[in-house]
Amino acid sequence: MKHYTKEELELYRHHEMSVLRRVACSAHLKECTACTSLLKELDTDDAFVMELRDSIRIFDEAAKRDMGK
Ligand SMILES: [Zn+2]
């Protein structure tokens, strides 16, 4: 069985795969725990990045408020 790479799963996650490849990919994911866990790993990475962005935004807002004083 051919597995998907991180790059391919990124495309899948961001809906940048052609419909045919998407269908094949989701069919593969249903049967492959290795690729499913890789996909989950990418999701975890995203959650981390989002959290990081959030804290940067909060910091920015606090900095702006301080400048307005
Ligand atoms: Zn696989």
Side-chain angles (χ1 to χ4, degrees):
M1 188 172 8
K2 185 199 167 286
H3 289 298
Y4 287 88
T5 64
K6 249 184 175 177
E7 285 73 23
E8 285 170 321
L9 290 174
E10 279 288 356
L11 293 179
Y12 176 79
R13 264 159 30 86
H14 296 292
H15 306 277
E16 282 163 10
M17 245 180 199
S18 67
V19 177
L20 275 181
R21 288 186 72 198
R22 258 189 85 73
V23 171
C25 190
S26 59
H28 178 87
L29 286 168
K30 265 181 203 147
E31 286 169 11
C32 180
T33 49
C35 288
T36 307
S37 67
L38 187 58
L39 191 66
K40 278 211 187 100
E41 212 176 280
L42 295 172
D43 273 339
T44 315
D45 280 359
D46 255 20
F48 176 72
V49 170
M50 296 268 255
E51 212 172 283
L52 206 63
R53 271 193 205 138
D54 247 21
S55 45
I56 289 167
R57 188 178 51 80
I58 290 162
F59 179 80
D60 270 4
E61 278 167 14
K64 267 181 210 148
R65 260 204 304 278
D66 277 353
M67 279 196 286
K69 266 178 199 165

